[in-house]
Amino acid sequence: SMNTGLIAAFVTLLCWTAGTFAFTAASKQAEAGAINRVRLFYATILLSIVIVLLYGPGITQLFTLPSFYEWFWLGLSGIIGLTIGDFFAFNAYRILGSSRTSLFSAFAPVAALLLGIVILGETMNLAGIFGMLISICGILWFIRSTRKTTDESVDRKRISSGIVFAIIGAVTQGLGLVCSKKGLNIIHYNGADLNPVHATWIRIFIAMLAAYSLAVFKRNIFNEFKMMSSTPRIIKPLIAGTLFGPVMGVSFSLIAATQLQVGIAQTIFSMQPLTVMFAATISGKEKLGLPSVIAALVSVIGVFVLVWRNELMQLTQ
């Protein structure tokens, strides 16, 4: 029902907000690549348990049920969005902090839509273009105010690389989203659809394999895993972030997506930069000037316009 959907959407928002702070805390304690790998490992295990308990397919069915195309598109989506995207996002968290990095997530729907036009045949109209422009103006304004307000201790070069990392992180998450849509649109010959949590599991599983196969030549992954898992200041935020982000956040977001119009769900999810800023300011973790907050509001409004572009065009006719 609508109410279940709305509750699920706001729970998702809270989970992702909490996850952002947890991963920011972890990112300040260890290297981004290592955090991403260990997180994907724990997320794969936790999600496997969730799926087997909730849906009861045998472990082998986790592998055999999806078709080749689903493995391909969802796996690609995992590599782009989670292996590559989150590696950059975690680097950005370390440099820019939670609220500044999360603001750049406004780029994700823009990237997803532009690619969706090409790959999924989605349509674009004037309102959508207008929404994109509003969003991008908000972000550019935000970048300017960030560069001015950041303490002198952080050098400009580092801030610039943090901004670049945050943008790459958001854009790759948007591209990952399009690939997973492509994977979820495949209907099986028996008419059954792939369970969304199962789809998420494929994304995370393949992302983990990709992350580890890249690292296995460069470092001892067992030592890395042991070291990080036995260091409380790293593993505590990492497990918390994994529970709130990939496991609970994703599961609730899928409940929301099935119960609500896509637009309503997306609108609620895209409020994340605001909830993160609100939480960061209240907890005194990060100082943000008023211009930054207004700029963030502007870019979120841009995303709203983008999401509701078709409805807005109908109003004008």
Side-chain angles (χ1 to χ4, degrees), residues 44-99:
T44 303
I45 290 178
L46 289 168
L47 261 185
S48 306
I49 295 168
V50 168
I51 291 178
V52 173
L53 288 179
L54 283 184
Y55 306 106
I59 294 288
T60 49
Q61 268 192 299
L62 277 179
F63 296 92
T64 55
L65 193 68
S67 65
F68 169 76
Y69 286 102
E70 283 165 333
W71 275 106
F72 177 80
W73 283 107
L74 293 166
L76 185 64
S77 141
I79 294 170
I80 295 172
L82 302 166
T83 313
I84 302 169
D86 284 346
F87 169 75
F88 283 105
F90 291 162
N91 269 310
Y93 284 150
R94 186 163 75 232
I95 300 170
L96 299 176
S98 318
S99 37

Side-chain angles (χ1 to χ4, degrees), residues 138-157:
I139 290 175
L140 293 175
W141 183 18
F142 185 83
I143 291 174
R144 277 196 57 195
S145 62
T146 297
R147 286 209 164 125
K148 282 184 186 147
T149 56
T150 324
D151 8 320
E152 295 304 306
S153 59
V154 185
D155 64 358
R156 287 289 167 91
K157 254 209 204 102

Side-chain angles (χ1 to χ4, degrees), residues 40-238:
L40 288 167
F41 178 80
Y42 280 116
T44 303
I45 290 178
L46 289 168
L47 261 185
S48 306
I49 295 168
V50 168
I51 291 178
V52 173
L53 288 179
L54 283 184
Y55 306 106
I59 294 288
T60 49
Q61 268 192 299
L62 277 179
F63 296 92
T64 55
L65 193 68
S67 65
F68 169 76
Y69 286 102
E70 283 165 333
W71 275 106
F72 177 80
W73 283 107
L74 293 166
L76 185 64
S77 141
I79 294 170
I80 295 172
L82 302 166
T83 313
I84 302 169
D86 284 346
F87 169 75
F88 283 105
F90 291 162
N91 269 310
Y93 284 150
R94 186 163 75 232
I95 300 170
L96 299 176
S98 318
S99 37
R100 292 193 182 93
T101 304
S102 71
L103 176 84
F104 288 93
S105 63
F107 272 126
V110 174
L113 190 71
L114 290 176
L115 210 83
I117 292 172
V118 181
I119 293 188
L120 302 170
E122 291 183 358
T123 54
M124 189 46 152
N125 57 29
L126 263 173
I129 294 168
F130 187 55
M132 279 185 186
L133 292 175
I134 297 175
S135 249
I136 290 168
C137 289
I139 290 175
L140 293 175
W141 183 18
F142 185 83
I143 291 174
R144 277 196 57 195
S145 62
T146 297
R147 286 209 164 125
K148 282 184 186 147
T149 56
T150 324
D151 8 320
E152 295 304 306
S153 59
V154 185
D155 64 358
R156 287 289 167 91
K157 254 209 204 102
R158 229 176 135 228
I159 289 285
S160 300
S161 65
I163 289 171
V164 172
F165 290 153
I167 292 172
I168 295 174
V171 169
T172 42
Q173 276 156 2
L175 303 186
L177 203 72
V178 174
C179 293
S180 60
K181 257 194 194 169
K182 183 98 176 149
L184 279 170
N185 284 345
I186 295 159
I187 307 289
H188 286 227
Y189 59 90
N190 59 1
D193 245 351
L194 194 65
N195 181 296
V197 184
H198 192 165
T200 305
W201 177 88
I202 294 177
R203 290 187 68 197
I204 287 180
F205 176 68
I206 297 287
M208 173 191 71
L209 290 186
Y212 274 111
S213 51
L214 290 172
V216 76
F217 304 105
K218 291 190 299 193
R219 66 201 53 210
N220 185 325
I221 52 176
F222 298 105
N223 285 356
E224 168 188 271
F225 183 80
K226 263 197 335 220
M227 184 281 293
M228 289 180 68
S229 296
S230 56
T231 313
R233 66 191 162 83
I234 298 177
I235 197 65
K236 276 185 182 156
L238 197 147

